[in-house]
Each structure stands twice: as C-alpha cells, then as structure tokens.
Amino acid sequence: MKEIEITDIEGFFFGQKESEDCHTGCTVILNKDGATAGVDVRGGAPGTRETDALKSENLVDHIHGVFLAGASAFGLEVGTGVMKYLEEAGVGFDVGVTRVPIVPGAILFDLREDDQDMRPDATMGYEAAASAFHHSHLKQGNFGAGAGATVGKGKGPSFSMKGGLGYSAIQIGNVKVGAVVAVNCFGDVVNPETGQIIAGMQKKGTFLNSEEVMMDEVLEGRTNRFRGNTTIGAVVTNAIVDKPAANKLAAMSHDGLARTIRPSHTFVDGDTLFFMGSGKISCDYNSLGVMAVRAVETAVQNAVIHARSTKNFLSAKDL
C-alpha cells in the first residue's frame, strides 16, 4: 500500500470555495462521465439532497458530482450552482431536451450568531465546480466545507476546537481509493491506533473526553446539545462497483468515522458518506471496503491536524 494524491484517481475533479470571511464554504467532487454511487446516512440530524436517487432499487445509475457544504440546510443551495455549471459544460443525464446533472450533497452546521449573511450558495457552488474542472485541487484544514467546522461541542463553543477538511488516498496495485471528509463532529477526534485524543472538548488546553463527560451527564436529559454538528464526506475509487455495492461500501466506510470520532453517529450529528466509483479496475469488494475505511480514518485526522486556530477556536497544532 502506498499513499497517493487524491487528484491522481482517474475521472474525478475536486474543487472548493470559501466565503469572504472564511467562516464557511463548500467542496465539490465531479465526474464528467458519471460515477456509480451510493450513500449511507448514519447521523440523527442529517441534511441532504438527492440521496433517494442513490437507493439501489431506483433508476439513476450514475451521478455527476457530490457537494459538501456548510450553513446547515441553507447550504443545499450549493447543488443548484454545481448543476448549472455542469449543464453548461454538457455534463449530465441525457433526457432529450437537455442534460440533467445528478448532484447529491450533504451539509453541516456552521452558522454563527455574528454573521448570518455569509452562507454557501449557488454562486459559490458554481465557482467551486468551475475551479474543479479548471484546476483539480484541494486544501486541507480551514478550507471548503471545513472552513467553519468545529469539534468537541458537548459543553458549548468555549470548550470546542477547530475542525476542518481533510483528505487521504491510497493505492494497492492498480486500485486507488481516496476520501474527502469535512469534520464538524459533536465528539472528539482520536488516533485510532493509540486512542489518544487529537482534538475535541477541552478546558484551558486539557482534553475532557467527550464520551466520559456524556456518561457522567446521562441523567440530565440534554439530547438537544450545542447547536448542530455533522461530519460529511465522500470516498472515491477507480474500481468497478455496481450500485448496490456502492451503497454497501458507503456503509462500510462509516467504520472510519467510528474509529476516529468518539462518539460518532449521535442524535445531534448528521453523519453522511457518499461512495463513488469511476469503473476502471476490477477488485474484491471486501478489500475495497477496508481500503475505504483506512482512507476515511486518515482523512478525519488530517482535517484537524491541518486546521488553523481562529479567533474563537483553538486548533490541534496550537494546543
């Protein structure tokens, strides 16, 4: 197994855009020819677009992009801009009178009290899509859908830390797998090999351990905790997958979240992962799933490792 750049995975184009104040943004992953795709929504508070189209029994076999965005449900507007750009580029499902791009997406919560105007919108989605086709590139940390992300929110913002966007890609033989994840979790981010917390709930630089704090408060009845959270992402591969397999592989990929985010998939997270295959290389699905989990694990850790501190939130690198 070797590490590769995620942009080395054939058929996929990556782009992102942040708001002027860099407190929110979006990330897009495009495929001009259409990728076989699946999705698995595990969190209790999701915000998604067109995920029903990806059910194994439904008609559409390929999608042309996925978007990840901030701003809670307002961020779903990003998909309109991505669709507009793809239609202009002649990319989409041929319906005779035009081509309809199929662009599912998911959002996370990063709304702020001090500025309600800066939200990812159709214009931002259009610009992110254009940048993907012109220069496929991603930055980790405070960029794209991870610009406003935070982690460790069980006791509110004063105890939280900076989250972000991370990616990772690996190759075994001719099979390539990569993951892009915007980490905005309720829980802590941990190193799965050591169990050590990397970023999460803290007080004056000392980690409090979200799971331990929550268990101590089990009788307090606080289900609706600090605002919204959610970790969202996509796994991409050059492997050949059919639609049912893509959905199952999306489900397997969530193991990467469970290993690195504690707790994950809570009532106040909307954890959602997409899986996209460009259909180039045959391989074993079980092995492919293991590779996907490894990529997600590393992407989650990279998101907080590369994050920078802001005025209100400390980053892992500055702890």
Side-chain angles (χ1 to χ4, degrees):
M1 183 177 73
K2 66 177 182 179
E3 295 182 1
I4 60 173
E5 282 297 316
I6 197 164
T7 50
D8 292 340
I9 302 177
E10 303 91 334
F12 295 100
F13 300 83
F14 305 86
Q16 57 195 5
K17 187 73 176 178
E18 302 82 40
S19 60
E20 292 179 7
D21 61 4
C22 294
H23 283 291
T24 190
C26 66
T27 299
V28 300
I29 305 164
L30 308 180
N31 190 295
K32 294 180 180 179
D33 299 323
T36 305
V39 66
D40 191 40
V41 181
R42 291 283 179 94
T48 59
R49 167 178 166 143
E50 285 214 291
T51 51
D52 275 357
L54 302 184
K55 289 182 178 180
S56 299
E57 69 271 22
N58 288 342
L59 174 66
V60 173
D61 283 331
H62 295 84
I63 66 172
H64 306 95
V66 159
F67 70 89
L68 312 172
S72 189
F74 297 110
L76 293 174
E77 188 179 349
V78 166
T80 301
V82 178
M83 283 189 67
K84 185 175 187 295
Y85 181 83
L86 291 177
E87 183 186 21
E88 292 175 358
V91 175
F93 186 71
D94 189 356
V95 295
V97 295
T98 187
R99 288 186 175 271
V100 179
I102 309 300
V103 186
I107 50 86
L108 55 80
F109 188 105
D110 60 5
L111 296 173
R112 299 177 300 135
E113 292 180 358
D114 57 337
D115 191 347
Q116 289 293 311
D117 295 328
M118 288 294 182
R119 299 170 178 172
D121 56 13
T123 298
M124 192 180 290
Y126 185 96
E127 293 174 350
S131 70
F133 275 4
H134 293 153
H135 178 58
S136 183
H137 181 65
L138 287 178
K139 293 181 180 180
Q140 301 189 95
N142 306 34
F143 297 97
T150 52
V151 302
K153 306 184 206 182
K155 283 186 172 293
S158 61
F159 294 83
S160 305
M161 290 181 63
K162 188 71 186 75
L165 184 88
Y167 66 82
S168 173
I170 55 178
Q171 179 175 354
I172 299 177
N174 292 326
V175 179
K176 302 175 183 178
V177 179
V180 180
V181 185
V183 181
N184 187 57
C185 54
F186 174 79
D188 303 327
V189 176
V190 304
N191 181 326
E193 295 183 2
T194 65
Q196 181 180 2
I197 298 174
I198 303 171
M201 189 192 301
Q202 54 81 34
K203 182 177 182 180
K204 296 181 179 180
T206 299
F207 290 123
L208 302 180
N209 192 314
S210 290
E211 289 188 327
E212 296 297 329
V213 170
M214 290 176 67
M215 287 189 287
D216 288 342
E217 297 175 350
V218 68
L219 297 178
E220 295 187 13
R222 294 192 301 154
T223 297
N224 186 19
R225 294 172 181 252
F226 173 57
R227 302 295 177 80
N229 309 287
T230 297
T231 295
I232 51 179
V235 177
V236 298
T237 180
N238 64 346
I240 299 170
V241 295
D242 58 27
K243 198 174 179 184
N247 278 295
K248 180 59 178 177
L249 287 160
M252 292 178 68
S253 300
H254 273 274
D255 288 356
L257 299 188
R259 293 179 185 180
T260 53
I261 299 173
R262 300 179 185 172
S264 58
H265 309 124
T266 71
F267 283 93
V268 292
D269 285 291
D271 299 339
T272 300
L273 289 179
F274 297 92
F275 193 98
M276 305 169 67
S278 61
K280 306 297 182 184
I281 307 295
S282 296
C283 70
D284 176 72
Y285 285 162
N286 293 299
S287 302
L288 185 62
V290 173
M291 292 177 69
V293 171
R294 289 285 183 92
V296 170
E297 284 182 2
T298 305
V300 170
Q301 294 174 83
N302 282 340
V304 294
I305 290 170
H306 287 84
R308 303 187 315 273
S309 296
T310 63
K311 178 182 178 181
N312 298 317
F313 298 103
L314 179 69
S315 70
K317 65 173 60 178
D318 291 330
L319 186 62

